[in-house]
Amino acid sequence: MDEELRRTLPVIEALAENISIPVSIDTYKSKVALRALEAGASMVNDISGMRFDPEMPKVISRFKVPVVIMHIKGTPKNMQLHPTYEALIPEIMDYFRSSIRFAVKSGIPEQMIILDPGIGFGKTFEHNLEIMNNLDKFSAFEKPLLIGPSRKAFLGKILGGLPPQERLEGTAASVAISIIKGAHIVRVHDVKEMARVAKVADAIKQERII
């Protein structure tokens, strides 16, 4: 935890003072989230869906900030060992239903909940492709949808083993498809390039320049 705080707090403090864009803290530890929100963060991205730390819902409810509930199977240490599902999309949807109920019961308003199906978190190559191809199914929850395909390993496999820094075109394709399929937020490394991709994808989807 100390290392997380050392790395993130100075950045959050500097950003919060100089930009009006919301700053998100990516953590599943409630104490880190608390300190980050006190420092100026305005959103929490929890890869555990608030399931690893029982104090996390209390922190988010107290600050009344948006929270990203991500689907994960297992923990970061074991999630990629042998991820198996009987029915991937229905199981993720069940996870979201129970997570939304838990969040609301914990005092978090439904309009503050963002959903992330968790590309690469307890998923095989085939699982990632299935999620990408079925993103529109998650629109049934009527919640903002976040997706993070940027530079992920499944893109490298498609592109013949290219390393992460050479997956720009693959990321662009996955970002465009995600937006067309209903994603509202995309997590990316190459911000300038993906902002252009998003602008084109949005214009095509909305049939107008956004």
Side-chain angles (χ1 to χ4, degrees):
M1 185 183 72
D2 290 340
E3 181 66 13
E4 283 188 52
L5 293 171
R6 185 186 69 79
R7 292 187 179 192
T8 59
L9 290 186
V11 178
I12 292 170
E13 290 169 352
L15 289 174
E17 290 179 0
N18 293 286
I19 65 173
S20 58
I21 299 170
V23 177
S24 175
I25 178 66
D26 189 341
T27 185
Y28 55 79
K29 299 172 184 175
S30 63
K31 291 182 180 178
V32 174
L34 173 62
R35 293 285 300 278
L37 292 168
E38 290 175 340
S42 51
M43 173 176 161
V44 176
N45 191 338
D46 187 343
I47 66 165
S48 79
M50 302 190 299
R51 295 173 187 238
F52 291 174
D53 187 333
E55 297 300 310
M56 182 66 88
K58 298 178 185 177
V59 171
I60 294 168
S61 176
R62 171 185 163 189
F63 282 85
K64 298 179 173 59
V65 295
V67 58
V68 178
I69 294 177
M70 194 194 80
H71 175 271
I72 184 173
K73 187 159 190 175
T75 68
K77 290 184 178 180
N78 63 26
M79 64 185 183
Q80 289 304 108
L81 293 180
H82 299 288
T84 56
Y85 300 83
E86 291 185 10
L88 176 66
I89 303 302
E91 287 183 42
I92 295 176
M93 295 185 77
D94 284 344
Y95 179 97
F96 283 155
R97 287 189 192 95
S98 63
S99 295
I100 292 169
R101 286 196 298 268
F102 173 64
V104 171
K105 187 176 180 181
S106 300
I108 300 170
E110 280 209 38
Q111 63 267 29
M112 290 294 185
I113 298 172
I114 300 166
L115 303 177
D116 178 355
I119 292 287
F121 286 79
K123 316 291 192 305
T124 63
F125 172 76
E126 291 78 13
H127 292 150
N128 291 325
L129 297 185
E130 185 175 351
I131 289 171
M132 292 291 298
N133 201 35
N134 288 276
L135 277 181
D136 52 327
K137 288 186 171 64
F138 300 115
S139 64
F141 292 103
E142 299 183 337
K143 301 281 185 292
L145 178 63
L146 183 151
I147 192 79
S150 183
R151 299 186 183 183
K152 289 286 177 72
F154 81 99
L155 298 175
K157 184 171 182 177
I158 294 171
L159 297 172
L162 288 180
Q165 64 273 19
E166 294 184 30
R167 297 172 188 167
L168 180 65
E169 297 88 350
T171 296
S174 62
V175 165
I177 291 170
S178 296
I179 292 171
I180 296 297
K181 287 277 191 176
H184 301 85
I185 307 169
V186 289
R187 290 187 61 180
V188 300
H189 300 83
D190 306 288
V191 177
K192 180 180 72 174
E193 293 84 354
M194 293 310 115
R196 293 171 178 169
V197 170
K199 186 172 184 178
V200 173
D202 279 333
I204 292 170
K205 185 174 183 179
Q206 302 294 329
E207 298 183 8
R208 62 188 177 91
I209 297 176
I210 308 301

